[in-house]
Amino acid sequence: MQQQKRQPELVEGNLPVFVFPTELIFYADDQSTHKQVLTLYNPYEFALKFKVLCTTPNKYAVVDATGAVKPQCCVDIVIRHRDVRAAYYGVIDKFRLQVSEQSQRKALGKKEIIATLLPSAKEQQQQKEEEEKRIKEHLAESVFFEQTLCQPENRTASSGPSLLTVFLGVVCVAALMLPTSGEMESLVPLYLHLSVNQKLVAAYVLDLKNSHTKLNSPVQK
């Protein structure tokens, strides 16, 4: 009975597809980024066939666009951008990765990957730095607002950090200890892998909380 219930679910194409990364960014001024690698994971007990489709196949070259992945293994798929021109800056293309069982033709699952060509990696880095600066300023304003509202009436009664400060500190430290997205040799599940931006936010919060604790510590006479 379990096999009869499972088979229709697979045929309907509901099988989750695990691929990293889910977004490809090519930089016109950095030739090393013109080749990107997709990693397809197969956590299942059966082998999978895969096929890579693209909305603009004339702009890309896909090495091994079709193939197979053994159970509980992974495979790398190389994608090269072969038509780098200014007219394509900012244009979003899509790849679709379809998987199926070895004995079936119908796709059991699919995953879409976004591909974008940008003019310069330096400009993108500047935008990231500006965004991180805005996040830091926003967090600083939030901490100041929290400090103003939660300021105790009797300063002598508060001799240590608040429970909220301790809790946020523990959460930020735990986030920084988790592996970064893209680390393959980690035993931690993939859904616990954090991006670089998420870790930056955690680092900012931890740094601001430490500064807040030092400022509110009583001066020993």
Side-chain angles (χ1 to χ4, degrees):
M1 295 298 294
Q2 294 181 353
Q3 294 180 353
Q4 293 179 356
K5 291 181 180 179
R6 179 190 177 192
Q7 188 66 17
E9 181 181 356
L10 294 177
V11 172
E12 290 174 0
N14 295 328
L15 188 72
V17 178
F18 300 93
V19 61
F20 180 83
T22 57
E23 181 179 5
L24 302 177
I25 299 179
F26 303 87
Y27 297 103
D29 65 344
D30 188 355
Q31 192 172 2
S32 64
T33 67
H34 296 178
K35 182 180 74 172
Q36 302 279 347
V37 178
L38 289 177
T39 303
L40 173 63
Y41 301 89
N42 179 11
Y44 304 106
E45 299 295 334
F46 50 89
L48 291 176
K49 294 189 301 183
F50 69 87
K51 183 177 182 180
V52 182
L53 306 174
C54 183
T55 55
T56 53
N58 57 312
K59 292 167 60 176
Y60 302 92
V62 181
V63 180
D64 297 331
T66 60
V69 193
K70 296 179 180 180
Q72 299 181 354
C73 293
C74 63
V75 64
D76 290 336
I77 304 169
V78 179
I79 298 178
R80 291 188 175 91
H81 202 305
R82 58 184 182 183
D83 195 2
V84 177
R85 64 176 75 177
Y88 295 144
Y89 290 169
V91 177
I92 297 177
D93 301 319
K94 292 183 179 181
F95 289 89
R96 174 176 290 180
L97 189 59
Q98 295 181 346
V99 299
S100 60
E101 280 190 288
Q102 291 280 9
S103 58
Q104 295 185 6
R105 294 184 178 180
K106 189 171 183 179
L108 300 179
K110 59 185 178 181
K111 185 77 171 182
E112 288 191 351
I113 298 95
I114 295 175
T116 311
L117 175 65
L118 298 179
S120 174
K122 294 181 180 179
E123 293 180 2
Q124 186 70 8
Q125 182 63 27
Q126 290 177 355
Q127 292 178 359
K128 288 184 178 180
E129 291 177 355
E130 292 177 358
E131 182 179 356
E132 292 168 4
K133 183 179 179 181
R134 288 195 297 268
I135 293 175
K136 186 175 181 179
E137 291 175 352
H138 177 71
L139 291 174
E141 293 176 357
S142 300
V143 172
F144 177 78
F145 183 71
E146 174 192 341
Q147 178 182 355
T148 304
L149 291 180
C150 301
Q151 191 173 21
E153 296 180 358
N154 187 0
R155 290 180 174 270
T156 58
S158 178
S159 60
S162 65
L163 293 177
L164 178 61
T165 301
V166 175
F167 175 76
L168 288 178
V170 172
V171 172
C172 292
V173 171
L176 293 174
M177 294 178 65
L178 290 173
T180 307
S181 297
E183 295 183 7
M184 306 298 301
E185 299 180 359
S186 175
L187 298 178
V188 179
L190 291 176
Y191 62 85
L192 291 179
H193 289 209
L194 301 182
S195 65
V196 176
N197 288 339
Q198 289 173 325
K199 288 199 171 185
L200 284 174
V201 172
Y204 288 146
V205 174
L206 185 62
D207 181 67
L208 290 172
K209 286 298 179 184
N210 289 336
S211 301
H212 173 67
T213 302
K214 292 178 180 179
L215 289 174
N216 288 277
S217 298
V219 178
Q220 296 181 358
K221 298 181 181 181

